[in-house]
Every structure is written in C-alpha cells, then in structure tokens.
Amino acid sequence: MSKVLVFGHQNPDTDTIGSAIALDYLLNELSHESEAVALGKPNDETAYALDYFRLDVPRVIETAADEVSEVVLVDHNEAQQSVSDIEEVKVKAVVDHHRIANFKTSDPLYYRAEPLGCTATILLKLFKEHEVTVPSDIAGILLSAIVSDTLLLKSPTCTPEDVRAAEELAEIAGVSLDEYGLNMLKAGADISEKTAKEILNDDAKTFDMGSETVRIGQVNVVDTSDVMLRKEDILEEMREETREHDYGLYVLLVTDILESNSVAIVDGPGYRQFEIAFSKPLQLNTVDLEGVVSRKKQVVPPLNDVFSKR
Ligand code: MN
Ligand code: MN
C-alpha cells in the first residue's frame, strides 16, 4: 500500500490534530505507511497540549493530490471542511463523530462513525480492537482532544464512553484530568492578542443548510465580555466575509468554559431564521444562549431545520 496522509478539518482543533496523530501512530504499528498532517497551524490550546506531551507539530498542507493518491479523514467528512482537492484523491478511511453530509466516494471504504463526544474516544477503541498499546504521549493528546471537544466533560455531546475514555487516558498519560484539562482549556481561552478576524476564524466551520451556506465560528473564553467589548469590530469583519463568500448567515458562538453558557453574535441575511431557530429575539446582533456549548449538537441542528424548510 502506498503512503496515506491522515488529517482532520480546516481550522484544526485539538481533536482533529490529536486524532490524526494517534491514527497515524496506529497505522504505523499496523505496518501501513502514513503521515499525520494538518490543514492549518495548531491553535493556542492544541499547541499547549502538543508541547506538554512533547509531540511534533504536524506539517501543514492545503492540497493532497500533489503528494499522495489516498487519504484518511478524521474528525470530519464534509468536503468543504477538507482539503480543497478532496475530489482528486481516494478517501481510504474515515473516523468521525459528526453528521454525514456532502460526502461521497467512488470506491468502498472503511467508515467508522459513532455519535460520541470526540473522535479521540473512537481512536482509543480502535487501539483496543487492534490490540495496540497506547503510549503515554499519544494518551495525553487523545485526552486533550476529549477535554477540548467536551469542554472538560461538561458538553451535552459528552457520553459515558467519553468520560471512561478520558479517565483511562489520564491514567496512562500520568496527569490529573481536572487540573491538566482546565489548564489546557485556559491556554486556548486568551483572546487578548487576537484580531477580530482570528477570533471569528480560528475555529470556524462552513455548513450547507438548505440552499444557504452558513458560517459558524466558536471561541472559548473565561469571560465573555472580553469578546463582547470587541463586538463592533467582529460584526464589521463578519459583514466583509459575508459579502465575499455570500454566506446566508454568520454566527460566532462565544462560549464561557467555566459557566458552560454561550453568547451568540449573529449577522447576515438569515438573521431572522436564527431568531426562529432559537425562539429568541436578537438584541443588537447578540443573544444569550444559556447552557449552549456545542455547535454540533445545539446550534447546527436547529439552524439546519429552519433553513431546510424555507
Ligand atoms: Mn473538530
Ligand atoms: Mn471532534
């Protein structure tokens, strides 16, 4: 078998990078030639985790067909979140925990999707199924991924399996789950040095909903007012990007990692659709979303329902 590239989505998060590193390790243990790469530089949180467990930062790529003919996707499947030339390569395998949309292949493939809180939890299962021991640095980055995706096991996406996996991985990695987890989340929550564009785009994803393209960013903070003080700059940047890419709606979810609440900043032609989806009026482009921390489970589905009915 020729070499495969293993990677997650654009604007990589800790699960996308951690799961790619772990799956690459597993593939190598199973005698496949592979390399973990990323579709962007690690964010501050992921950089903290990689540094803590002394793992290399994956090489950044934008296209794949110029170097390989086969790829393995982790933590995503939607084409618009992947390499720009995804149609030109063969997707050999997918390991993911998202909705399946905009995804088709011409050949049969290995597809592992489970409705768990994190791709890393599926990775731990794959190691066990293949009877491969998880080394401590890989356990550390998989743990980091679970902490990141589940906001320290508090997100509604978090399942009992994710909790058990996190506890087991913390043990192997030799860290305290709560102490390490909070330090890692805090490392990613400092936005003081970030531009409005970075705040919007560092963790943004694009979704096809009905006939519209919806952009949803998310930023984790320990105090939402840090972001709210910069609302006008953020709205201006949203409007520019909306014009450029013809988005039907732009949402930034500002998530308080200590309180497990979010405030949404919203703009674009689908402003009213957002109000319908959440049965709440926006006030000057913002609304409190109590208990909302998961874009995937609490924001995408209600928006998708409203946009699909238009
Ligand atoms: Mn992800
Ligand atoms: Mn994930």
Side-chain angles (χ1 to χ4, degrees):
M1 193 177 92
S2 59
K3 178 181 162 179
V4 297
L5 291 178
V6 185
F7 51 85
H9 53 77
Q10 295 171 19
N11 298 331
D13 55 23
T14 305
D15 187 28
T16 254
I17 288 186
S19 293
I21 289 173
L23 185 50
D24 169 51
Y25 179 89
L26 179 62
L27 287 169
N28 280 295
E29 287 294 300
L30 300 172
S31 304
H32 296 296
E33 198 190 337
S34 65
E35 181 188 356
V37 291
L39 309 190
K41 282 193 194 148
N43 61 34
D44 293 344
E45 177 199 278
T46 311
Y48 175 92
L50 290 171
D51 183 58
Y52 192 98
F53 294 105
R54 299 177 191 283
L55 287 159
D56 291 336
V57 175
R59 180 167 65 89
V60 173
I61 63 159
E62 275 166 24
T63 55
D66 48 332
E67 45 179 318
V68 292
S69 56
E70 296 179 331
V71 301
V72 171
L73 309 184
V74 293
D75 197 37
H76 77 297
N77 65 79
E78 301 191 40
Q80 77 280 3
Q81 298 171 2
S82 199
V83 281
S84 56
D85 60 349
I86 190 71
E87 255 103 76
E88 294 167 44
V89 288
K90 183 175 164 186
V91 178
K92 196 132 179 69
V94 180
V95 182
D96 190 24
H97 67 134
H98 292 91
R99 73 171 190 175
I100 300 172
N102 247 328
F103 182 81
K104 60 177 193 305
T105 58
S106 47
D107 293 284
L109 77 161
Y110 177 92
Y111 200 117
R112 178 75 170 257
E114 293 196 50
L116 297 176
C118 188
T119 307
T121 305
I122 309 173
L123 257 298
L124 178 61
K125 294 170 83 167
L126 288 175
F127 272 75
K128 289 180 177 174
E129 287 163 21
H130 290 92
E131 298 177 346
V132 173
T133 307
V134 184
S136 64
D137 55 348
I138 298 289
I141 200 68
L142 288 175
L143 166 68
S144 304
I146 297 175
V147 167
S148 174
D149 268 20
T150 66
L151 279 187
L152 207 38
L153 313 178
K154 285 189 294 191
S155 166
T157 57
C158 188
T159 70
E161 253 189 281
D162 296 298
V163 176
R164 280 197 299 275
E167 287 167 349
E168 187 177 337
L169 290 164
E171 179 103 23
I172 302 170
V175 296
S176 146
L177 202 170
D178 288 326
E179 191 189 334
Y180 170 77
L182 195 58
N183 286 338
M184 187 203 78
L185 288 177
K186 281 183 176 165
D190 180 6
I191 56 125
S192 57
E193 303 286 307
K194 291 198 165 126
T195 63
K197 195 184 180 80
E198 286 167 339
I199 292 170
L200 274 176
N201 286 290
D202 277 3
D203 186 32
K205 288 183 183 174
T206 303
F207 299 88
D208 287 340
M209 297 189 187
S211 56
E212 298 294 341
T213 303
V214 175
R215 182 81 165 165
I216 309 175
Q218 184 168 22
V219 59
N220 288 342
V221 291
V222 284
D223 184 354
T224 55
S225 64
D226 292 351
V227 176
M228 286 307 153
L229 287 169
R230 298 169 65 182
K231 189 176 97 178
E232 290 312 315
D233 284 352
I234 288 169
L235 280 170
E236 198 178 312
E237 176 64 27
M238 274 183 171
R239 284 169 191 148
E240 207 173 302
E241 291 181 28
T242 299
R243 272 195 300 276
E244 190 183 338
H245 300 284
D246 201 23
Y247 294 136
L249 182 70
Y250 206 133
V251 179
L252 177 68
L253 211 56
V254 184
T255 301
D256 184 325
I257 55 173
L258 303 180
E259 303 293 330
S260 300
N261 289 320
S262 295
V263 181
I265 303 179
V266 181
D267 198 56
Y271 194 87
R272 179 74 190 121
Q273 271 69 38
F274 183 95
E275 296 184 317
I276 294 167
F278 290 91
S279 308
K280 261 188 141 179
L282 285 153
Q283 281 173 337
L284 298 173
N285 299 83
T286 66
V287 67
D288 285 331
L289 297 176
E290 267 154 47
V292 171
V293 295
S294 169
R295 167 173 48 198
K296 174 171 55 175
K297 200 159 182 169
Q298 295 170 295
V299 179
V300 171
L303 284 176
N304 193 47
D305 283 352
V306 171
F307 278 102
S308 302
K309 276 182 208 132
R310 285 176 94 183

